[in-house]
Amino acid sequence: MPFEPVVGGAVAFLIESQKRVISHCERLLPATNDLTPEDRARLVRLRNNAEAELARLTYAEAA
């Protein structure tokens, strides 16, 4: 099946979703002292991945 470009407001929805993920991670990381090092690392990784995806989506939207 060939790649179909994203239509309508899908890119805006994906951008907003990534922003929400980043926001939740940013709120959880400093507020939760009882996180295990593994859980903290997962949250940091999730935030970093969301930031990278947000940058890619923003670039794609501008193109």
Side-chain angles (χ1 to χ4, degrees), residues 10-59:
V11 172
F13 172 79
L14 292 172
I15 288 172
E16 187 57 35
S17 294
Q18 294 305 319
K19 287 179 180 179
R20 274 191 240 115
V21 169
I22 294 165
S23 175
H24 287 303
C25 290
E26 290 295 322
R27 268 187 264 135
L28 284 172
L29 282 166
T32 332
N33 293 327
D34 59 342
L35 286 175
T36 66
E38 294 82 16
D39 288 338
R40 184 169 297 285
R42 280 189 202 110
L43 275 175
V44 169
R45 226 177 12 256
L46 179 62
R47 182 198 59 206
N48 291 344
N49 289 341
E51 288 173 345
E53 184 64 12
L54 178 61
R56 188 187 72 74
L57 288 166
T58 304
Y59 179 79

